Amino acid sequence: MKKKLLLIVVILLAAGAFCLFQIKHFAASHLTIREDTLFTLPAGTGRDGLKIALSKQHIVKRTRWLPGLWLVDPKLANFKAGTYRFTVGMTVRQMLELLVSGREAQFSIRFVEGSSLKDWLAILDQAPYLEHSLRDVALDQLASRLGESPSTSLEGRFYPDTYLYTAKTQDVALLKRAEQRMDSILEQVWHDRAEGLPYKTPADLLTMASIVEKETGEPDERAKVASVFINRLRLGMRLQTDPTVIYGMGERYRGTIGKQDLITPTPYNTYVITGLPPTPIAMPGLAALDAAAHPAKTSYLYFVASGKGGHVFSNNLASHNRAVQQYRESVKENNGQ
């Protein structure tokens, strides 16, 4: 009888050792994925649900050892719902530790300088894993969704940058983050602006920055472009900047503007109106904001594309007309005419 009991104990110990070895081996084994994989664990999923999901999605082999691993290391069973990124070479233990940590996969969305609110909404609409709540919201209703007065213009109010988010983040939450960043940056830029600028409010500076953003992408030109418009404002001259005309045309713009467009009144046509347009025309970046806040000290009143990259700046109409003629000749040469 004693021998039988001893034999049973030996068998049980051997079986236990074998199982423990298999569990440790299983925990150290790699996931079967061949590329980084996104895995969503719905809220309320239990151990059996996770086991089934990992098996169905061919992420883990021999899931039968999962209960044993949870028994040996119970903390690995405290997983959290979310969307996670499993990477090639990750072990089963590392995967479970990730699920326990709650460190969900990060997605990125990029809003570029000079883009419009309409552009932003289109980018948001295509962003994966976002919770879309703005697809059927009209532009004139968007301000209310952001907690603003319905009459508030949102153009230019969002800071262009790359934003990270996790799955099921609301699109409106991303816009609020971008709005708060622009408010914070604009407040600082306004506080640090040069003295004597013809702005009444930070909104004026923001509008000027949006025009500078649309006029040039050359870093060393932004402050000079800003100086042209500042000098014109001080003299009471119209800004006469094409990007504002294009913005005012809206859907009528088809890639070119003609003489008729320059004389057709819109609230944004700075060939017709005096002073700044009523709102920004795009989302300016920090460089354009700094240029609007610290324009170069020049006597320039005009600029035109050089045809070779950049612009030619002039302080009188005669010089400007010559620069325009040189630009036209450069275009003809480039077109082989």
Side-chain angles (χ1 to χ4, degrees):
M1 189 67 179
K2 291 182 179 180
K3 290 182 178 181
K4 288 183 179 181
L5 289 174
L6 181 60
L7 181 60
I8 292 173
V9 170
V10 170
I11 292 174
L12 289 175
L13 288 175
F18 173 78
C19 289
L20 186 59
F21 171 80
Q22 290 295 333
I23 289 170
K24 289 183 176 180
H25 179 72
F26 168 70
S29 65
H30 294 108
L31 305 185
T32 57
I33 58 177
R34 296 183 178 180
E35 59 184 14
D36 289 1
T37 301
L38 292 172
F39 176 80
T40 298
L41 185 64
T45 302
R47 297 185 184 187
D48 289 341
L50 175 57
K51 179 180 174 182
I52 292 170
L54 292 173
S55 179
K56 281 187 174 181
Q57 297 182 39
H58 305 290
I59 293 173
V60 175
K61 279 185 179 180
R62 297 176 299 181
T63 55
R64 65 181 180 274
W65 291 109
L66 267 173
L69 179 55
W70 286 325
L71 181 64
V72 172
D73 197 345
K75 68 177 183 294
L76 295 179
N78 298 324
F79 41 82
K80 301 177 178 66
T83 296
Y84 299 87
R85 179 174 281 107
F86 297 158
T87 57
V88 175
M90 178 179 281
T91 67
V92 172
R93 177 177 291 278
Q94 290 171 335
M95 175 202 68
L96 291 174
E97 288 174 343
L98 177 63
L99 297 179
V100 169
S101 74
R103 294 192 303 273
E104 293 189 62
Q106 294 278 319
F107 304 92
S108 65
I109 189 168
R110 170 67 176 163
F111 299 112
V112 299
E113 296 85 348
S115 54
S116 67
L117 177 58
K118 185 177 179 180
D119 296 330
W120 280 48
L121 293 177
I123 293 170
L124 282 171
D125 187 59
Q126 298 299 316
Y129 291 92
L130 265 185
E131 189 170 304
H132 298 282
S133 63
L134 301 176
R135 283 176 171 166
D136 298 323
V137 176
L139 286 179
D140 58 359
Q141 299 174 338
L142 185 57
S144 297
R145 295 294 300 274
L146 290 167
E148 303 282 356
S149 167
S151 60
T152 301
S153 172
L154 297 176
E155 196 69 83
R157 292 286 306 280
F158 306 102
Y159 188 72
D161 203 349
T162 298
Y163 293 88
L164 299 178
Y165 64 93
T166 56
K168 294 189 176 181
T169 297
Q170 282 204 343
D171 47 11
V172 70
L174 278 178
L175 283 182
K176 286 180 179 179
R177 283 168 56 191
E179 183 183 33
Q180 290 167 357
R181 280 204 66 196
M182 180 60 87
D183 288 344
S184 176
I185 291 171
L186 180 59
E187 180 181 6
Q188 187 62 49
V189 171
W190 175 257
H191 180 267
D192 296 338
R193 73 191 186 281
E195 295 182 358
L197 296 176
Y199 304 136
K200 295 180 181 179
T201 65
D204 289 345
L205 189 153
L206 183 63
T207 298
M208 177 63 78
S210 73
I211 296 173
V212 172
E213 189 70 75
K214 296 298 289 185
E215 281 286 6
T216 182
E218 296 292 329
D220 61 346
E221 284 192 349
R222 291 190 181 100
K224 288 192 287 187
V225 168
S227 77
V228 171
F229 295 130
I230 291 296
N231 291 339
R232 282 177 166 259
L233 286 176
R234 284 173 173 157
L235 294 173
M237 295 176 65
R238 290 173 178 167
L239 298 186
Q240 296 183 322
T241 169
D242 291 356
T244 62
V245 178
I246 292 170
Y247 187 83
M249 291 173 67
E251 297 298 328
R252 293 189 295 110
Y253 180 65
R254 293 291 185 270
T256 59
I257 55 177
K259 291 183 179 179
Q260 186 61 39
D261 298 316
L262 298 181
I263 61 174
T264 300
T266 75
Y268 292 87
N269 187 346
T270 52
Y271 284 82
V272 175
I273 67 170
T274 300
L276 291 166
T279 72
I281 60 172
M283 313 296 178
L286 182 58
L289 287 164
D290 282 339
H294 300 278
K297 295 180 179 180
T298 74
S299 58
Y300 296 141
L301 294 172
Y302 307 90
F303 64 92
V304 66
S306 65
K308 301 176 182 178
H311 295 82
V312 176
F313 295 83
S314 307
N315 54 21
N316 60 72
L317 185 58
S319 297
H320 175 64
N321 287 337
R322 287 194 296 270
V324 170
Q325 184 59 36
Q326 290 173 354
Y327 168 70
R328 290 173 177 168
E329 292 174 357
S330 175
V331 170
K332 288 182 178 179
E333 290 178 4
N334 292 335
N335 291 336
Q337 298 179 357

